[in-house]
Amino acid sequence: MKKKRLLCGIVSAAMAVSAIALPAVSLAEEDTITVMVDNDQVEFDQQPTIIEGRTLVPIRAVFEKAGASVEWDQASLTATIAYGENTVRISPDKDIMFRNDKAVALDVPAQMINDRILIPVRAISDALDFGVTWNGYLSTVLIATDGKPYRAFLGVKRGFRDLTAVSDFYINGSCVNNEADLNGDGVKETVSFTQTTDTAAAEMPLLVINGSDFSDMIKEEYQSLNSLAVISMNGTEKQVVIVENGDVQTAHFYTYDGTELVKCGENPSISFKTRLLFDERKYVLSDLHGLCFTDIMVTGSFYEYAEDGFSYFKLSNAEDIAPRVLIHTYNDNMTYRMIKTDKYVPGAYKGAQEFETINSEAFTQFTLLDMYVSPQNPAYAEFYIETPDGTRAVLTPYTV
């Protein structure tokens, strides 16, 4: 149950939901709604609209884009959709439709607007078993004709921001800012921080808050220091983030009670390569784990912040999205190992010695043929892909 709650929470604004429980949409009337069918945008002569909190889309444009036939009978005021073995009949102002002559309830009645029938998004799934996902960040309906719901793109464009971007206060050796309200009492503490690759050899104070020197604590805990930040994980309390140097950096989270630095629970640390992303609520995405460089969330691991520290989760159904064509829409600057092969053996590439190093910006579109998530270490995933030129390869996250 907690994984399901995490999924709903981590994409709270980019709501990745199954077609079974598509929620009411909170959206301004003037916002433009985009509909994608199998990653191909639908063009409308009558735009989708919102009625009683439900998004309604024109049936002809959507279902014809999906390969169905749509016929209109003026005498009975009924639209008939035929797709494979299924036939669906829909009439305006009715709160039911008929699939193979069986009544199916609609969230809100179908509407006739400018000679076009519109139905609620959820009915798309109920009609023909299509996978339907609402991406609230991008105001986009994602429809998959193979029935596998898309996992909405995590909203990195707006939802997740880099550690440096969410910090009230940040020092990495160049940023000069020596005041920050660490404990949320409205009074700024005076802070000084020393960046060093060797804390044991450093003679200067490493971290001083309101005149209190935390150098001994730092030397005992860490061999090196990269940066220090002050953020808010939940919009109220502040956390002090001390980042340790290394090929893989580690962010350690503390609260400051006015006199002491206290670790955030039993699991207060997250490792990352170059980027640590926050949704500014309580979820964190490490670029070592989260893989979201395409227009849908492929897979990944996420951290949930709570009183006992960070809990680690993965999407249990990540493999269900393959095969699928993916389009690159956001440059997250992630690096991958690329092992070219025409034969794929799931789980066999973690220790591969021959590989190319490739950045996510090299991809604009590819077909995800298969994928593997390690049951022992869900941070490890493999993606078997085919590029537009026919090259087949396995991608794995680059780690040292």
Side-chain angles (χ1 to χ4, degrees):
M1 291 298 293
K2 195 170 185 181
K3 288 184 180 180
K4 292 182 179 179
R5 179 175 62 82
L6 174 72
L7 178 59
C8 293
I10 198 166
V11 291
S12 58
M15 297 180 73
V17 294
S18 72
I20 301 302
L22 195 69
V25 176
S26 177
L27 201 68
E29 292 290 341
E30 63 272 15
D31 285 356
T32 299
I33 299 168
T34 301
V35 178
M36 307 287 288
V37 174
D38 293 338
N39 246 337
D40 195 5
Q41 185 170 341
V42 181
E43 299 296 332
F44 296 105
D45 52 14
Q46 164 60 47
Q47 292 300 311
T49 189
I50 297 174
I51 296 177
E52 297 180 13
R54 297 292 191 270
T55 298
L56 280 73
V57 297
I59 64 171
R60 181 177 294 276
V62 170
F63 286 110
E64 286 186 347
K65 174 65 83 171
S69 65
V70 181
E71 301 293 338
W72 171 252
D73 181 64
Q74 181 63 34
S76 63
L77 298 179
T78 301
T80 301
I81 303 165
Y83 185 83
E85 299 179 353
N86 294 309
T87 300
V88 179
R89 293 182 288 114
I90 301 171
S91 298
D93 301 321
K94 303 292 186 182
D95 59 4
I96 60 172
M97 63 181 177
F98 291 89
R99 170 175 164 163
N100 301 329
D101 295 325
K102 293 183 179 180
V104 179
L106 301 177
D107 290 342
V108 294
Q111 302 288 320
M112 179 71 80
I113 302 176
N114 295 328
D115 296 326
R116 295 290 182 265
I117 290 187
L118 283 72
I119 60 173
V121 168
R122 175 174 173 173
I124 298 171
S125 172
D126 293 339
L128 297 176
D129 297 324
F130 291 163
V132 180
T133 305
W134 168 249
N135 184 336
Y137 267 130
L138 302 182
S139 301
T140 300
V141 179
L142 300 167
I143 300 171
T145 59
D146 62 5
K148 300 175 181 178
Y150 281 77
R151 296 301 165 209
F153 178 56
L154 277 177
V156 174
K157 288 181 179 177
R158 284 183 276 175
F160 278 78
R161 296 200 295 159
D162 191 90
L163 171 61
T164 57
V166 303
S167 299
D168 296 340
F169 170 79
Y170 190 80
I171 299 177
N172 63 358
S174 60
C175 176
V176 179
N177 186 346
N178 61 0
E179 288 188 339
D181 181 6
L182 302 184
N183 57 0
D185 62 0
V187 179
K188 290 186 177 180
E189 279 72 36
T190 300
V191 182
S192 64
F193 177 83
T194 302
Q195 184 185 38
T196 177
T197 56
D198 187 354
T199 59
E203 296 182 358
M204 72 290 286
L206 299 173
L207 174 61
V208 177
I209 302 175
N210 280 355
S212 297
D213 190 346
F214 291 90
S215 295
D216 289 342
M217 183 273 284
I218 294 291
K219 289 182 178 181
E220 183 178 343
E221 294 284 344
Y222 310 118
Q223 295 181 341
S224 63
L225 298 176
N226 176 276
S227 58
L228 179 137
V230 176
I231 66 168
S232 176
M233 290 288 293
N234 55 13
T236 55
E237 299 172 345
K238 301 286 183 175
Q239 289 79 41
V240 176
V241 185
I242 298 174
V243 180
E244 198 174 2
N245 274 312
D247 292 333
V248 174
Q249 300 178 74
T250 303
H252 304 271
F253 294 77
Y254 294 83
T255 56
Y256 178 70
D257 62 9
T259 57
E260 299 292 335
L261 285 173
V262 181
K263 289 183 179 181
C264 293
E266 297 179 359
N267 303 299
S269 305
I270 296 178
S271 296
F272 62 104
K273 181 67 176 176
T274 59
R275 301 188 68 198
L276 198 60
L277 301 168
F278 297 79
D279 77 341
E280 299 175 75
R281 291 181 179 85
K282 59 178 180 178
Y283 299 105
V284 185
L285 176 67
S286 165
D287 63 358
L288 289 176
H289 299 201
L291 306 173
C292 58
F293 61 91
T294 58
D295 61 339
I296 65 171
M297 183 170 61
V298 177
T299 185
S301 307
F302 302 93
Y303 295 89
E304 178 187 15
Y305 175 69
E307 293 182 358
D308 57 349
F310 293 96
S311 298
Y312 177 63
F313 296 87
K314 83 178 186 74
L315 294 182
S316 59
N317 58 348
E319 297 90 338
D320 293 343
I321 70 167
R324 177 160 285 154
V325 176
L326 302 178
I327 300 173
H328 188 150
T329 59
Y330 176 76
N331 181 22
D332 61 2
N333 197 33
M334 288 181 63
T335 303
Y336 300 88
R337 298 174 190 263
M338 183 174 183
I339 304 104
K340 294 182 179 179
T341 178
D342 289 328
K343 294 183 179 180
Y344 176 58
V345 180
Y349 301 89
K350 187 172 184 178
Q353 298 299 311
E354 296 184 7
F355 59 87
E356 298 178 24
T357 302
I358 191 165
N359 194 275
S360 59
E361 65 185 7
F363 300 102
T364 56
Q365 179 175 321
F366 61 86
T367 301
L368 179 65
L369 300 173
D370 201 352
M371 63 183 294
Y372 166 81
V373 179
S374 170
Q376 290 77 33
N377 176 21
Y380 176 74
E382 297 173 353
F383 305 88
Y384 187 42
I385 70 165
E386 182 175 336
T387 59
D389 66 3
T391 299
R392 292 192 170 194
V394 176
L395 297 182
T396 66
Y398 183 85
T399 56
V400 294

